[in-house]
Amino acid sequence: MMNRYIDRMMKETPHIESPAVGCLIGKAYQILLSQLADALKKEGLEITTTEYLVLRALYCSDGIQQCEIAAMTGKDKASICRCVAGLEKKGLVRTESVSYKCLRVYLSDMAKKIEPKIMKVANMRHQALEDLTTPEDMEIFVSILEKVVSTA
């Protein structure tokens, strides 16, 4: 199905030399998010994919500021603010004011308690990606993505 879509895109836009790479990346991103949401639900975790990313960032560095979380996750500051507010309502984080515009975010005991489940999901998703390709291909793929990200 995807190949027919790419073929159609190539015929409609003959001036484009490559096979709709941006479309493929976007589609892959949506598929990965959907699989992550399913894995979170399967583990009994009632959190969104963005909340998952924020918690993962906090597991790496508890007590960081919202702007640092945004930089780590690649999400915009406004969505991180909304996400942190949602996590706070769920009792998974607490915040501390650094200034009138900045909050420092800390994991709650409940968030620390569910860390093994979060990491189980992380490991499962990582393994699923590794199973799709060889280590050499994965290294090349990551290298290319890092180049794209570094030019932003």
Side-chain angles (χ1 to χ4, degrees), residues 76-144:
D76 63 87
K77 292 176 189 174
S79 67
I80 294 301
C81 289
R82 288 188 301 273
C83 181
V84 167
L87 286 168
E88 200 165 22
K89 284 180 185 174
K90 292 178 180 181
L92 294 171
V93 300
R94 65 177 179 80
T95 59
E96 184 179 287
S97 182
V98 175
S99 70
Y100 75 98
K101 288 174 74 175
C102 185
L103 291 176
R104 192 169 294 280
V105 185
Y106 297 91
L107 293 164
S108 70
D109 289 340
M110 187 186 329
K112 291 174 185 174
K113 184 178 177 183
I114 66 169
E115 183 178 5
K117 283 185 171 187
I118 296 277
M119 296 314 294
K120 179 179 179 183
V121 169
N123 291 332
M124 286 179 357
R125 298 307 320 136
H126 183 77
Q127 187 60 52
L129 281 175
E130 282 188 347
D131 291 346
L132 292 175
T133 187
T134 66
E136 295 81 18
D137 286 345
M138 185 60 81
E139 189 176 319
I140 292 167
F141 180 63
V142 170
S143 174
I144 291 168

Side-chain angles (χ1 to χ4, degrees), residues 5-63:
Y5 172 75
I6 292 170
D7 289 343
R8 191 179 81 227
M9 290 293 292
M10 292 300 290
K11 288 176 187 166
E12 292 173 6
T13 54
H15 59 282
I16 296 176
E17 299 283 327
S18 63
V21 174
C23 292
L24 285 172
I25 291 170
K27 182 71 173 173
Y29 176 72
Q30 292 302 318
I31 290 168
L32 292 172
L33 278 182
S34 176
Q35 290 172 345
L36 174 60
D38 291 346
L40 291 168
K41 185 174 265 186
K42 184 178 177 184
E43 284 301 312
L45 296 163
E46 296 298 323
I47 58 174
T48 67
T49 54
T50 303
E51 290 171 338
Y52 164 88
L53 292 174
V54 170
L55 289 171
R56 290 283 317 267
L58 291 169
Y59 290 140
C60 291
S61 187
D62 195 15

